[in-house]
Amino acid sequence: MGVTCVSQMPVAEGKSVQQTVELLTRKLEMLGAEKQGTFCVDCETYHTAASTLGSQGWSAMVRSQLTATSTSQVQVILLPQPSQVAGIIGQTGKLMYVMHNSEYPLSCFALFENGPCLIADTNFDVLMVKLKGFFQSAKASKIETRGTRYQYCDFLVKVGTVTMGPSARGISVEVEYGPCVVASDCWSLLLEFLQSFLGSHTPGAPAVFGNRHDAVYGPADTMVQYMELFNKIRKQQQVPVAGIR
Amino acid sequence: MSGVRAVRISIESACEKQVHEVGLDGTETYLPPLSMSQNLARLAQRIDFSQGSGSEEEEAAGTEGDAQEWPGAGSSADQDDEEGVVKFQPSLWPWDSVRNNLRSALTEMCVLYDVLSIVRDKKFMTLDPVSQDALPPKQNPQTLQLISKKKSLAGAAQILLKGAERLTKSVTENQENKLQRDFNSELLRLRQHWKLRKVGDKILGDLSYRSAGSLFPHHGTFEVIKNTDLDLDKKIPEDYCPLDVQIPSDLEGSAYIKVSIQKQAPDIGDLGTVNLFKRPLPKSKPGSPHWQTKLEAAQNVLLCKEIFAQLSREAVQIKSQVPHIVVKNQIISQPFPSLQLSISLCHSSNDKKSQKFATEKQCPEDHLYVLEHNLHLLIREFHKQTLSSIMMPHPASAPFGHKRMRLSGPQAFDKNEINSLQSSEGLLEKIIKQAKHIFLRSRAAATIDSLASRIEDPQIQAHWSNINDVYESSVKVLITSQGYEQICKSIQLQLNIGVEQIRVVHRDGRVITLSYQEQELQDFLLSQFVMDLKVAARLWFSFLVTNVKTFQKVMFYKITNGVIFVGHSKKFSGIKWKVEILFIKWSCLCLHLALVYYDFFQMFPKEVSRNFDLKCLQINYKHKEEITSKRVLFLKIIIRKCLFSTFKLFTL
C-alpha cells in the first residue's frame, strides 16, 4: 500500500471516452508499463432515513442491530459518536457511500462526506441489507470505474472508464507509488511521473494529502479521493458528454 | 516482726447451717449443727470394717462377721438387747459399731482357733488336701475364650464362604453369558469406541474424521443393526455377536496408498492400470470384536480416499513445470527427468472374485513405505491445523479461516499480502520433495558403495548421520590410503544431500554444489581419490627424497626440487655411488610415470574428450590439467637427466 493519487482525465476534444482511454494506455505502454489485468472500483450511495426515531433511539437501535447481526470483522478509524449521529439526524439525508476496490478484494469501505471512513470485510454488504430501515439507497446511484492495471517499476497505474449505468461519464486515472507511505515525501516524484504521461492534464495535490501531511497514507484515503472524483463526475452529469458518436 | 503493725484478720467458718425449714414469712430455721460427739458418732459409723489391708481375709472376716453376727448376737443376749437398743438409738456412744465389729471378729477368731486346735490333735478332725478340681475353674475363662473365639470365627468364615460362593456363581454365569451377550451391553462397548446417535429407530454412527478436522465431504455413517439370525436350537457359535455394523458400500474392503519410484518412462498404454496387489490386512488386536476391525478398516479406506482426493486435486490445480498426470487411481509425476513417481490408491474389496485377478505387476520392494506413512502423517497434520487456534475463530462469532485472513478485510490487505498469507505447500508438493530427497540419498549411497567395492586402494569410508530431516541428510566421507591414514587426513568430505542437489564441504573449506546427476558425484569422488593418491605418492617420494638428502649430506651431492642433479663431486666419484644415485633417479622417474599413468589413463579414460562445462568441477579439472602438464614437463627433464647421467657414467 503506497501513496496514491486519483485524478480525472478530461476527455480529449473530438474524441470519445474510449478513444481517450486508448490514447492513454498506448502512451503508458510506450513508456514501458506492463499490463497486469483489470481493476474495478464501485460506489453506492445511501441516504440516512430521516423518518426514524430520535437520536438516542436511533443509535441504540443501530447498536443493537449491529451486535445482533454483525458477523463481519470491522476495523474502524473513527466510530460515529452519538453527537455526530445526532448531527446526522439533524441534517436529513446525509449521504453514506459504500465502496469496493478490487485492489483490496476482501474489504469493503463505508464513508461519509467529511466524516469517518470504515474499513470492513465483505460481510458489511449483508449488514447493509439488514440496515435497510436506516439507510436507503439512492436511486440510480451506483457508479463505478473499470479499466486496466499497469505496472511500471514501482508505480501502479490504473486507467479506468467511469460509468454510471450504461453510459460512460469520464476517465479516472490512479497512480500508486508503492515504496512510500508518507504523502509529503513522494508527492513531487508522483507529480513528475504524472506529468510524463498526462502532460498538461496533471492534477494538483489531492486534498487528502493536505489534511494529514506526515501521517501514514492508507487505503481509506484512496477511497476518499475516489468518492470525491465520483461526486465531481456526477455533478458533471448535467452536461452531456460531447463527442460520443 | 516487732515493728510491724498487727493486722486484723477475720475468720469465718465456711460451712453454713443447713436449712431445716423456711417459714411463711421468709425466716429460715436452721438445723443445729452436729455437736462434737454427734460428729464423732457419725464418722465412726462410716468406718467399713470389710475394707482392710488384706482383702480376702477381710472378706472372709466380713462375711463371717456378718454370718456370725446373729449367732454372736445370740450368744450374748443381753448384749444383743443392748445392741438392739443401740441400733435404734444412733445418738449413743459412737464406738458401738466399732465394738460390735471387733467382738464379732474376736468370735470368729476364737472359732478358728478352736477348729485348728481340734484338727491338730487329729482325733476328731483331719485335714485333707483339696483335690485339683479347684484348678479347672481357674482355666475356665481361657477355654471359654477359645471356644467363643472359635465360634465367632466360624461365624465370620460362614459369611465369607457365602460371599465367595456367590462370586463364583456370578463368574460362571458371566462365562456362560459371554456367548449369549446382551445387545445393549455390546452396544455399550461399541459406544466406548465410536460415536453413535439415534435417528428415528435406527442407530447410526460416524466413522469419518470430520470431528478430528477433516474437510472431506464423505458422510462416513454406518448403521448398527441387531443380529437376530440366531438359531436358538443350534449351538451358539464362538464368535457370535448380537450386534452387527453395516458400513457404506464404497468403504468396504481394505485400501492403502502405494508410492513408488520407477526409472522407466511412462508408457501411455500402461497408465491407469490398477495395481491391485492385496496387502495382508493389518493384524487386529486379539481381543477386539469383529465390528471393531470392520470399522477400522472402513475408516482407513476413507482416509486413503481423502489423501488421494487431496493429491489429485492438487495435481490438477497446481501448475508445475512438468504437469502431473492423474489417471484413474494413479497420479504420476516426474520429480527428475527419466524418473517417474507414481502414487496410487489400491483399494481391494473383500469379494472373492477380485482376488483371483490380483496380480503383482510391480515387485513390493518398489513401494516406499516411508512415503506412505508420511502421507498419512501429513493429512493428519492438515486435519489438526483446521482445528488449531489459528483457524478456530476468537471470538466465537467471528468467521472461520486463518487468523490473519480474517483481518485482511478490515485491514485492507492487497493481493500481494493475501497471496503471502495463503502460500503454503500442498500435500503433493511435499511428497514429491520427500521422494526426490529419498531417491537422491539412495543413489548417493549406491554411488559411494560402488566406488568402495570397485577401488581397493585408496579406501573410501562413509559415515551416515542418524539425525536427518525429511528434506536433508548428511554423510561424512573419508578417503584414506593404507598406511597413510594419519597423514592423509586432508581428504574429508561432508556431503549434505538435499532435495535437488548435493552440497560438498571439503575439509579445507571449499564448498562445492553438485547437481542431482549421478555422474557428477562419481567424478567428484574419483577426483578426490586421485588427490589422495597424489598425497600418498608425494609422501613416499618425499620419504625417498629425505633419504637421499641425508645420503647427500653425507656424500656432498646437490638435490634440488626433488630432482636430483648429479653434481660434480670432487671427492667421491666412485662408480658405486653413481650407480646408487642413478638407481634412485630411475625409481623417481618410475614413480612419476606411475602418477601420470594413474592420472591420465586409469581414472579418466574419457578425460581428453570430456566436456569441461561443468562449472562445479572446473576447479579440479583445471588443477589437474596444470599438474599433469607440469608433470609431463618434469618427466621430460628427468628422463633427459637420467639418460645424460647414464651416458656420463658409462663414458667416464
Side-chain angles (χ1 to χ4, degrees):
Chain A
M1 182 58 236
V3 177
T4 314
C5 172
V6 178
S7 64
Q8 185 185 10
M9 169 87 180
V11 182
E13 284 186 10
K15 293 225 171 88
S16 71
V17 173
Q18 280 162 322
Q19 288 170 332
T20 326
V21 168
E22 262 172 65
L23 266 173
L24 256 181
T25 51
R26 219 175 297 147
K27 256 196 210 163
L28 278 169
E29 274 162 22
M30 276 204 309
L31 210 60
E34 316 166 343
K35 191 166 167 187
Q36 272 194 353
T38 59
F39 81 100
C40 168
V41 179
D42 59 63
C43 171
E44 284 162 10
T45 329
Y46 291 88
H47 294 287
T48 53
S51 62
T52 49
L53 317 162
S55 60
Q56 286 296 329
W58 185 90
S59 52
M61 277 216 60
V62 167
R63 244 180 267 130
S64 65
Q65 283 264 22
L66 284 170
T67 48
T69 65
S70 118
T71 51
S72 63
Q73 294 272 331
V74 156
Q75 175 155 340
V76 187
I77 297 175
L78 285 171
L79 271 171
Q81 302 298 315
S83 55
Q84 275 189 350
V85 163
I88 288 166
I89 294 295
Q91 313 163 27
T92 53
K94 182 105 183 216
L95 296 172
M96 184 174 94
Y97 304 95
V98 175
M99 307 178 70
H100 302 92
N101 190 342
S102 65
E103 192 69 21
Y104 314 106
L106 300 173
S107 307
C108 185
F109 303 86
L111 33 110
F112 286 96
E113 196 108 7
N114 293 318
C117 176
L118 172 76
I119 311 178
D121 67 1
T122 44
N123 287 330
F124 187 77
D125 296 327
V126 181
L127 189 63
M128 284 308 293
V129 174
K130 300 271 182 191
L131 293 175
K132 245 190 293 192
F134 304 97
F135 292 101
Q136 288 155 359
S137 95
K139 280 186 287 185
S141 63
K142 181 144 184 188
I143 185 167
E144 65 174 20
T145 164
R146 275 178 197 273
T148 39
R149 189 169 175 264
Y150 288 94
Q151 172 98 31
Y152 180 57
C153 301
D154 287 329
F155 291 97
L156 207 64
V157 184
K158 295 178 195 159
V159 179
T161 323
V162 181
T163 52
M164 200 156 144
S167 55
R169 294 293 165 89
I171 303 166
S172 75
V173 176
E174 181 197 323
V175 177
E176 180 185 334
Y177 180 58
C180 184
V181 287
V182 179
S184 56
D185 287 343
C186 67
W187 168 242
S188 37
L189 180 67
L190 264 176
L191 190 67
E192 209 178 301
F193 180 70
L194 284 165
Q195 278 172 351
S196 67
F197 71 96
L198 286 180
S200 55
H201 304 293
T202 313
V208 196
F209 288 11
N211 288 347
R212 289 132 42 91
H213 212 60
D214 286 321
V216 171
Y217 190 87
D221 302 320
T222 317
M223 303 321 285
V224 168
Q225 290 187 57
Y226 264 112
M227 179 201 69
E228 285 167 2
L229 174 77
F230 289 152
N231 281 341
K232 201 164 75 171
I233 288 177
R234 222 175 275 149
K235 281 179 197 146
Q236 290 171 355
Q237 179 186 335
Q238 279 75 25
V239 181
V241 181
I244 290 182
R245 298 207 198 281
Chain B
M1 280 215 245
S2 54
V4 176
R5 234 181 350 157
V7 177
R8 271 204 180 185
I9 297 171
S10 346
I11 298 173
E12 201 184 285
S13 70
C15 57
E16 285 182 349
K17 296 176 193 162
Q18 278 199 323
V19 176
H20 175 65
E21 190 190 332
V22 179
L24 290 167
D25 56 355
T27 53
E28 292 169 336
T29 344
Y30 297 109
L31 270 179
L34 291 174
S35 66
M36 284 291 284
S37 55
Q38 284 173 340
N39 211 12
L40 186 60
R42 187 168 68 94
L43 288 171
Q45 273 184 340
R46 282 170 72 184
I47 297 172
D48 189 6
F49 283 92
S50 59
Q51 297 279 326
S53 51
S55 55
E56 268 185 55
E57 290 165 80
E58 291 302 318
E59 266 181 39
T63 49
E64 283 183 28
D66 286 336
Q68 292 293 326
E69 207 170 309
W70 296 109
S75 62
S76 51
D78 47 341
Q79 278 180 348
D80 206 16
D81 290 335
E82 283 182 8
E83 279 167 16
V85 170
V86 165
K87 274 182 190 169
F88 292 121
Q89 289 177 4
S91 58
L92 279 181
W93 183 48
W95 297 107
D96 243 3
S97 61
V98 175
R99 184 191 60 187
N100 294 338
N101 281 321
L102 282 171
R103 192 175 285 164
S104 56
L106 176 66
T107 329
E108 279 170 35
M109 288 305 292
C110 293
V111 166
L112 185 63
Y113 174 71
D114 290 340
V115 167
L116 282 172
S117 49
I118 293 168
V119 163
R120 202 173 52 170
D121 282 343
K122 292 191 188 174
K123 269 192 194 171
F124 304 106
M125 281 171 100
T126 50
L127 280 175
D128 255 336
V130 183
S131 64
Q132 293 292 324
D133 292 332
L135 286 172
K138 272 193 187 175
Q139 283 186 357
N140 256 337
Q142 287 190 8
T143 42
L144 256 175
Q145 275 179 20
L146 264 173
I147 291 166
S148 63
K149 270 188 190 167
K150 219 180 172 181
K151 272 196 186 157
S152 53
L153 279 171
Q158 197 70 28
I159 295 167
L160 285 170
L161 279 170
K162 262 195 219 166
E165 233 182 76
R166 224 179 276 165
L167 274 173
T168 47
K169 242 193 252 177
S170 68
V171 163
T172 46
E173 262 176 24
N174 267 349
Q175 295 276 350
E176 285 166 8
N177 286 347
K178 229 183 178 178
L179 297 169
Q180 306 170 20
R181 272 187 299 224
D182 196 19
F183 174 74
N184 286 327
S185 61
E186 196 66 19
L187 191 67
L188 197 69
R189 282 183 72 187
L190 181 65
R191 204 160 163 269
Q192 282 173 346
H193 296 275
W194 301 91
K195 279 207 309 285
L196 300 174
R197 63 181 195 276
K198 193 153 173 141
V199 174
D201 59 346
K202 283 198 284 188
I203 301 173
L204 300 175
D206 182 21
L207 54 76
S208 74
Y209 279 91
R210 243 168 320 150
S211 56
S214 162
L215 298 171
F216 198 51
H218 197 283
H219 54 91
T221 41
F222 62 92
E223 198 185 329
V224 179
I225 46 180
K226 227 174 187 173
N227 200 357
T228 47
D229 59 346
L230 168 72
D231 207 348
L232 286 165
D233 295 338
K234 291 190 199 161
K235 188 192 165 196
I236 298 161
E238 277 285 319
D239 53 353
Y240 166 69
C241 190
L243 194 141
D244 202 9
V245 287
Q246 198 173 42
I247 49 180
S249 55
D250 55 346
L251 299 178
E252 276 173 19
S254 68
Y256 69 98
I257 303 263
K258 182 174 177 214
V259 184
S260 67
I261 294 180
Q262 290 121 34
K263 285 210 178 136
Q264 72 268 20
D267 186 11
I268 298 293
D270 276 347
L271 285 180
T273 50
V274 177
N275 325 317
L276 262 191
F277 79 85
K278 186 170 176 163
R279 201 158 67 162
L281 281 168
K283 274 190 206 161
S284 54
K285 281 190 223 164
S288 59
H290 79 285
W291 41 257
Q292 180 74 5
T293 44
K294 234 174 156 183
L295 289 170
E296 279 177 2
Q299 199 176 44
N300 188 41
V301 172
L302 186 60
L303 187 70
C304 290
K305 283 197 166 189
E306 182 178 350
I307 292 172
F308 195 75
Q310 173 84 5
L311 286 170
S312 39
R313 200 183 325 134
E314 284 175 18
V316 169
Q317 282 177 353
I318 293 173
K319 297 172 203 164
S320 73
Q321 286 168 342
V322 179
H324 316 286
I325 306 167
V326 181
V327 180
K328 274 202 206 174
N329 72 333
Q330 239 187 358
I331 299 170
I332 298 169
S333 73
Q334 280 203 323
F336 294 126
S338 82
L339 198 75
Q340 176 194 336
L341 170 74
S342 86
I343 303 171
S344 42
L345 170 69
C346 302
H347 182 188
S348 57
S349 56
N350 280 332
D351 302 341
K352 285 182 186 168
K353 272 189 211 170
S354 61
Q355 276 182 16
K356 286 182 198 165
F357 295 120
T359 48
E360 295 188 14
K361 278 194 182 171
Q362 286 104 12
C363 48
E365 282 109 42
D366 247 354
H367 176 51
L368 291 164
Y369 292 99
V370 179
L371 290 180
E372 186 198 348
H373 178 66
N374 283 358
L375 271 173
H376 280 257
L377 287 180
L378 285 170
I379 201 87
R380 281 298 300 140
E381 213 181 284
F382 173 70
H383 289 172
K384 278 178 207 163
Q385 220 188 14
T386 51
L387 289 179
S388 69
S389 63
I390 304 171
M391 290 300 198
M392 283 287 132
H394 288 99
S397 57
F400 266 82
H402 198 275
K403 224 193 313 197
R404 292 207 70 205
M405 281 297 284
R406 277 181 246 142
L407 289 176
S408 58
Q411 293 189 354
F413 283 6
D414 59 4
K415 282 178 200 163
N416 295 335
E417 288 169 7
I418 294 170
N419 280 341
S420 69
L421 278 182
Q422 280 179 334
S423 68
S424 60
E425 277 183 336
L427 201 59
L428 187 65
E429 283 175 357
K430 281 186 188 163
I431 277 299
I432 289 176
K433 272 174 83 173
Q434 286 183 19
K436 275 178 169 178
H437 174 249
I438 284 175
F439 176 72
L440 209 60
R441 185 176 66 192
S442 57
R443 203 162 61 173
T447 312
I448 293 171
D449 288 343
S450 72
L451 275 176
S453 59
R454 214 175 63 181
I455 298 167
E456 283 158 7
D457 175 55
Q459 293 136 2
I460 188 167
Q461 296 167 36
H463 300 285
W464 288 87
S465 160
N466 272 335
I467 303 166
N468 292 328
D469 194 37
V470 220
Y471 300 133
E472 197 169 318
S473 311
S474 81
V475 58
K476 192 148 186 156
V477 175
L478 294 162
I479 301 175
T480 52
S481 295
Q482 203 187 32
Y484 292 89
E485 287 96 350
Q486 291 302 313
I487 307 164
C488 294
K489 272 192 201 163
S490 59
I491 312 289
Q492 275 182 19
L493 310 166
Q494 170 112 4
L495 304 179
N496 285 337
I497 302 168
V499 175
E500 276 176 3
Q501 53 198 25
I502 301 174
R503 211 177 64 150
V504 184
V505 180
H506 207 278
R507 196 169 187 242
D508 52 10
R510 275 181 295 154
V511 176
I512 300 160
T513 315
L514 304 171
S515 80
Y516 60 85
Q517 308 265 6
E518 189 180 0
Q519 195 63 28
E520 274 193 45
L521 178 65
Q522 199 173 30
D523 291 341
F524 179 73
L525 287 173
L526 284 173
S527 73
Q528 294 304 307
F529 274 121
V530 173
M531 295 278 256
D532 182 72
L533 268 179
K534 259 196 286 180
V535 174
R538 199 174 289 141
L539 276 168
W540 187 77
F541 184 55
S542 68
F543 167 72
L544 213 62
V545 168
T546 45
N547 244 358
V548 171
K549 272 192 179 163
T550 50
F551 185 68
Q552 180 245 337
K553 275 185 194 156
V554 174
M555 295 298 137
F556 306 107
Y557 284 115
K558 260 204 254 177
I559 296 177
T560 323
N561 269 357
V563 180
I564 301 167
F565 295 97
V566 178
H568 298 284
S569 66
K570 286 168 187 172
K571 282 189 187 174
F572 301 96
S573 54
I575 286 179
K576 195 178 160 198
W577 302 119
K578 285 190 179 165
V579 166
E580 288 226 23
I581 297 297
L582 251 183
F583 171 72
I584 290 166
K585 261 199 256 173
W586 277 104
S587 52
C588 293
L589 165 69
C590 292
L591 191 66
H592 270 290
L593 265 174
L595 280 172
V596 173
Y597 176 69
Y598 250 84
D599 258 347
F600 252 57
F601 301 109
Q602 191 85 357
M603 297 296 191
F604 297 96
K606 302 168 199 157
E607 166 112 351
V608 180
S609 60
R610 191 156 190 82
N611 183 11
F612 290 140
D613 282 340
L614 300 161
K615 214 174 26 168
C616 46
L617 281 177
Q618 254 177 16
I619 306 161
N620 270 345
Y621 278 122
K622 253 192 202 168
H623 192 51
K624 206 157 300 344
E625 241 187 332
E626 282 168 12
I627 283 179
T628 45
S629 59
K630 270 193 194 154
R631 200 168 283 134
V632 171
L633 205 66
F634 246 16
L635 261 176
K636 286 186 192 158
I637 296 169
I638 291 169
I639 290 170
R640 236 180 270 146
K641 287 288 172 190
C642 288
L643 285 170
F644 180 65
S645 51
T646 325
F647 282 133
K648 241 185 151 183
L649 181 73
F650 287 123
T651 50
L652 278 175

